[in-house]
Amino acid sequence: MLSLLPRRGLTFATSSFPKSSCATRSSSSLSSYSSLVSEFSIHMQLERVASLLHWDAMVTMPQTDAHHCERGLQSAALAGVIHEKQTSKKIGELINEVNIEELEDEEKANFELMQKIYREKTSIPETLAKQQAELSNTAYVDWTKARSSSDFSQFSSTLKKCFQLSKHLTSLKLGSNPKQVSLYDKMLDEYERGLHSSRITEMFDNVENALIPLISKVLSSPKPSTSCLSPPSGSSFSIKSQQKLNNAITKKLNFKGRSDISVHPFSTSFSPSDVRITTRFSSQEWYQGLAGSIHEVGHGFYESNLLKSPVCPINQPLSMGTHESQSLFWERHVGLSKSFFNYFGDLIREELQFSYSNTELYKASNKVEPSLIRVEADELTYPLHVILRTKIERDVTNGDLEVDQIPRVWNEEMQSLLNIEVPNDGEGCLQDVHWSSLAFGYFPTYLIGAIAAAQLEYYIRKDLDFNGCIEKGEFGRIEEWLKKKVHVKGSRNKSIDDLFESEFGERLNEKYFIEYLTNKYAKLYNL
Amino acid sequence: MLSLLPRRGLTFATSSFPKSSCATRSSSSLSSYSSLVSEFSIHMQLERVASLLHWDAMVTMPQTDAHHCERGLQSAALAGVIHEKQTSKKIGELINEVNIEELEDEEKANFELMQKIYREKTSIPETLAKQQAELSNTAYVDWTKARSSSDFSQFSSTLKKCFQLSKHLTSLKLGSNPKQVSLYDKMLDEYERGLHSSRITEMFDNVENALIPLISKVLSSPKPSTSCLSPPSGSSFSIKSQQKLNNAITKKLNFKGRSDISVHPFSTSFSPSDVRITTRFSSQEWYQGLAGSIHEVGHGFYESNLLKSPVCPINQPLSMGTHESQSLFWERHVGLSKSFFNYFGDLIREELQFSYSNTELYKASNKVEPSLIRVEADELTYPLHVILRTKIERDVTNGDLEVDQIPRVWNEEMQSLLNIEVPNDGEGCLQDVHWSSLAFGYFPTYLIGAIAAAQLEYYIRKDLDFNGCIEKGEFGRIEEWLKKKVHVKGSRNKSIDDLFESEFGERLNEKYFIEYLTNKYAKLYNL
């Protein structure tokens, strides 16, 4: 029992990090650049440690408030350290010592990202950062309470503070930025780097205009049967069988990481070679669990295929929308395709012990039904949920809407967009957690991801027999394509627009998403 | 799929930590003390994070060299940060601002520990700390190679460097310490705070003198059958059944933490309420797996029962020997007792599907058989392995033995102590990893723990019907007693001698260990 032998000596991080390519050239500017890369590697390794604290809290730690509270102290200690390092004078000095003209293109892109991170982190005084942390804790509690009593008025004054503080923080980050961008642009930039809100408005408006008549047509057509999704009355789907099915499918997709169970599915990465996903199961519906796994596998592939070295900002995912494009590509364009069920149908029938046909599985999993709750929405109605919340957060940020008016606008728009009566705020404007975290600008990335995924399908079809790959189980070829076009590019581009422009010769374009939905649902519903 | 929502805001550690008791009194010295406690809490939370990196690496991470290498970078980044914080000027300034006269007794003890930690950490220049980290990495590799080719000469020059550097580091830590202590005393102090090597020599000599004749008598008596430990020829014990048995037993012992499988069993703690153990199983022998679990449970109880707040040095375990006394108390004094098999016999027979009697189980699990390998040794011969390595590391440190002479001394002593011929260095002086980590002074804590455990049994019998508690499954009463006498005391005492003096009116005393072994084995072997 060799327990408790102390961990082996004290090891220092800097000595172990790979030197950047410029280490072989030489100048004091290049050596400063090299040191900067080493410093950032350490920050990023520490951020991976923070991700492990989170993964463990969600997956292996006992799930009690006391444990989460303890873990919170550990996360807070680590977050404090990371913040100290990211804003240290040393970083500022190294940045000043670098002569950008001496850098190669990749180094330049990396340097600009490091500069940006440093500038934005140091633009927030510590007192404000603490205020942000405190408000986001309080707001989470207030939101939970308000949601459970379905009463927006219990949350409105806190939400006002959230908007106010977020605007203030954003204006500090903007600083004396010469490019005229709005506050909401800058909030968005936090999650969707380099994509201005004018682009979003333009794309989202087109999506909205196309979807409303399409959904209306779909809903006036006969509905497909969804009985294969539920177990026969009085019985249930075994969780073990679902787990076995999911593992078999994610393995066939070539996902190599761990897969565990957690309350909310998520994916996380401690390095490209240690990417983990989680999922959850219901005994009353099997497809959501599978869809969740495939979605997370999509995120996981992106993380797995990032370049491993050096650990630095250009080798990080480009944006949340780009990330979501990967998860949605696998969840929808692969997992909701007819070819998918043609390939996996036998396995599904065997594990779930039923005899529904591939076509029945395909039709049921693609059912369209407007719903109150975004996370339960289907592919066709989901965009409207995103569009609605995006408009509201943008309008409140711009001063065009009062916080108190949110429930009214929400309910009216749900009626006009989806013809749905919102019975209460809990199932209405209070359903999502994001605002309580001051995560304004996050929401649109869900739809950006969906738009990008459809565009990727369009372009992958030019290079590959996409359906053929799925029907033959050649998922590695699909992953390889995405890896080459998106994953290994990391954050080398300034935005998803730039990435697509350089890979496909055109920026993000919602027309592919609209075409994809129009064609797919026309066939499905004989429109 | 709400994955990838960013972690909620940036949280700062200091605001969340409990204030120490002196927060209600007031003076600038007290406020400095209070700040010091907050700072140390953060260091200790970060150390818990480091423990999680280790636990995850051993339990859930894919077990490949590449993964361990990646994880090494994360651990290194975190270790660097912890070292920076522990040696920061801020800590030194706060220490200088504290007037020890204004502190209450507990605060004084805590302050002295913080002072000691700071003094020792800052006594090592960064270059030397790096050198230590590097040497311990190289030495580990060299040791592994030498062990696998069973050739000490491949390790000797590295081992000389390890001794040399360790002596240098230790002399720096000693500094101009007014109390005259030897280098080996100071090395020992790293693991067994406050216990001088003269005490160890005294106790270990007495143990050696008592055990040699006792072992000789035991070995000349008829051996008990050990057939119940192995499966019938050609078959095996199911790992699942062993897991079920272990879980049932550790649950009955009242252990509440997670239990997982790993290559080397260990216990770890992320807070008193999140203590985890691991174990391993063999299909050819069932008792070692169970003994391992009970051993780790003993460590776990100590960690679980430490005071939770404030997170500071006095609420940490006192020493490695004290820790080992807890694991050995449960493994041997509880788990190897006749009462244990009387209580758990039915469960063991049921799970392992055999019909050996309680007496057969008791006798087999207490078999005595001199062996080459320490970790496989029984309770009676184990101390001699520890005594041998302790003498060698002490003598080399003191300059009384050359590194090159180690194999010869090892082999001669194995012959004279245990009458065992050492066939090669791999199974001889190279068998243990500790020296390659520069962990000189660690080894004796194994026997200190055994001595202390026997003394605890002596004293628990004055307060409780110890056998009765075990026979009735009242393990909570035993844990409660240990909690009160040892666990909650944390590091309030200056040494295990002081702890025992204050709890039992006498310091650590090897006579209880000798009596325990003499009586037990006299009965077992009808001596």
Side-chain angles (χ1 to χ4, degrees), chain A residues 30-53:
Chain A
L30 287 176
S31 120
S32 297
Y33 173 78
S34 207
S35 303
L36 204 54
V37 171
S38 294
E39 287 296 320
F40 268 78
S41 313
I42 295 173
H43 308 172
M44 291 166 75
Q45 293 291 5
L46 294 172
E47 280 169 345
R48 291 171 170 181
V49 176
S51 301
L52 178 63
L53 284 176

Side-chain angles (χ1 to χ4, degrees), chain B residues 419-437:
Chain B
N419 198 22
I420 278 200
E421 186 90 34
V422 178
N424 59 64
D425 296 341
E427 294 175 280
C429 62
L430 284 175
Q431 68 184 265
D432 275 303
V433 66
H434 307 58
W435 290 345
S436 75
S437 308

Side-chain angles (χ1 to χ4, degrees), chain A residues 213-223 525 527:
Chain A
L214 178 59
I215 292 170
S216 158
K217 271 192 240 167
V218 165
L219 293 181
S220 57
S221 306
K223 289 182 185 178
Y525 284 82
L527 304 181

Side-chain angles (χ1 to χ4, degrees), chain B residues 185-462:
Chain B
D185 276 334
K186 188 65 191 164
M187 289 173 179
L188 192 60
D189 182 69
E190 192 97 345
Y191 306 100
E192 194 56 53
R193 192 157 68 89
L195 205 71
H196 286 201
S197 59
S198 58
R199 288 278 293 127
I200 287 181
T201 306
E202 174 197 343
M203 291 188 287
F204 283 19
D205 283 352
N206 290 337
V207 170
E208 180 181 335
N209 292 334
L211 286 193
I212 290 178
L214 178 58
I215 292 170
S216 156
K217 272 192 240 169
V218 165
L219 294 181
S220 56
S221 307
K223 288 184 185 177
S225 157
T226 57
S227 56
C228 69
L229 301 178
S230 315
S233 165
S235 74
S236 62
F237 293 119
S238 123
I239 304 295
K240 269 205 175 161
S241 306
Q242 290 187 65
Q243 250 182 312
K244 209 174 144 205
L245 175 64
N246 271 23
N247 289 342
I249 290 178
T250 56
K251 199 176 164 190
K252 274 279 181 200
L253 298 179
N254 292 324
F255 179 69
K256 294 184 180 67
R258 276 185 75 96
S259 179
D260 295 88
I261 291 180
S262 71
V263 178
H264 298 287
F266 70 101
S267 66
T268 192
S269 160
F270 312 130
S271 84
S273 54
D274 192 0
V275 173
R276 307 181 188 182
I277 65 167
T278 73
T279 189
R280 63 178 163 198
F281 298 101
S282 153
S283 61
Q284 294 305 306
E285 207 272 7
W286 62 271
Y287 184 72
Q288 289 305 313
L290 177 59
S293 289
I294 301 173
H295 182 96
E296 302 307 335
V297 160
H299 283 306
F301 282 149
Y302 192 3
E303 296 283 345
S304 310
N305 291 324
L306 291 165
L307 295 184
K308 269 188 148 176
S309 169
V311 179
C312 65
I314 44 165
N315 289 330
Q316 289 292 98
L318 177 61
S319 70
M320 300 300 275
T322 314
H323 229 308
E324 193 71 5
S325 76
Q326 299 308 296
S327 53
L328 291 179
F329 187 89
W330 287 92
E331 180 192 347
R332 296 178 178 174
H333 298 270
V334 176
L336 281 176
S337 68
K338 183 73 194 336
S339 305
F340 180 85
F341 292 102
N342 288 344
Y343 183 69
F344 283 117
D346 286 341
L347 187 64
I348 294 170
R349 282 183 288 275
E350 191 189 316
E351 287 300 341
L352 301 179
Q353 310 222 315
F354 55 42
S355 57
Y356 296 102
S357 70
N358 294 343
T359 304
E360 285 170 310
L361 296 173
Y362 172 60
K363 287 195 169 176
S365 57
N366 280 287
K367 72 180 184 299
V368 174
E369 198 167 31
S371 64
L372 277 167
I373 305 297
R374 174 185 64 90
V375 296
E376 295 167 4
D378 56 77
E379 170 178 53
L380 205 54
T381 58
Y382 187 93
L384 300 178
H385 291 261
V386 178
I387 288 170
L388 172 51
R389 195 173 291 274
T390 299
K391 276 186 197 169
I392 292 177
E393 64 177 23
R394 185 196 60 204
D395 290 351
V396 175
T397 304
N398 293 343
D400 299 332
L401 182 71
E402 293 298 320
V403 166
D404 292 327
Q405 297 174 312
I406 291 175
R408 184 183 52 77
V409 174
W410 183 275
N411 297 352
E412 283 171 11
E413 288 286 317
M414 282 298 280
Q415 187 77 59
S416 102
L417 291 171
L418 286 167
N419 198 22
I420 278 200
E421 186 90 34
V422 178
N424 59 64
D425 296 341
E427 294 175 280
C429 62
L430 284 175
Q431 68 184 265
D432 275 303
V433 66
H434 307 58
W435 290 345
S436 75
S437 308
L438 283 71
F440 305 109
Y442 184 104
F443 233 76
T445 66
Y446 291 126
L447 183 48
I448 292 167
I451 292 170
Q455 195 162 349
L456 289 171
E457 187 190 317
Y458 175 83
Y459 282 102
I460 202 174
R461 287 185 181 281
K462 293 190 173 281

Side-chain angles (χ1 to χ4, degrees), chain A residues 200-212 387 509-511 514:
Chain A
I200 287 180
T201 306
E202 174 196 342
M203 291 188 287
F204 284 20
D205 282 352
N206 289 337
V207 170
E208 181 182 333
N209 292 334
L211 287 193
I212 291 180
I387 289 170
N509 191 336
E510 71 284 2
K511 79 171 181 187
I514 295 168

Side-chain angles (χ1 to χ4, degrees), chain A residues 367-397:
Chain A
K367 73 178 184 300
V368 174
E369 198 168 33
S371 65
L372 275 168
I373 305 297
R374 173 184 64 89
V375 296
E376 294 165 5
D378 56 77
E379 173 179 49
L380 204 54
T381 58
Y382 188 93
L384 300 178
H385 291 261
V386 178
I387 289 170
L388 171 52
R389 195 173 291 273
T390 300
K391 277 186 198 171
I392 292 177
E393 64 177 24
R394 185 196 58 203
D395 289 351
V396 175
T397 304

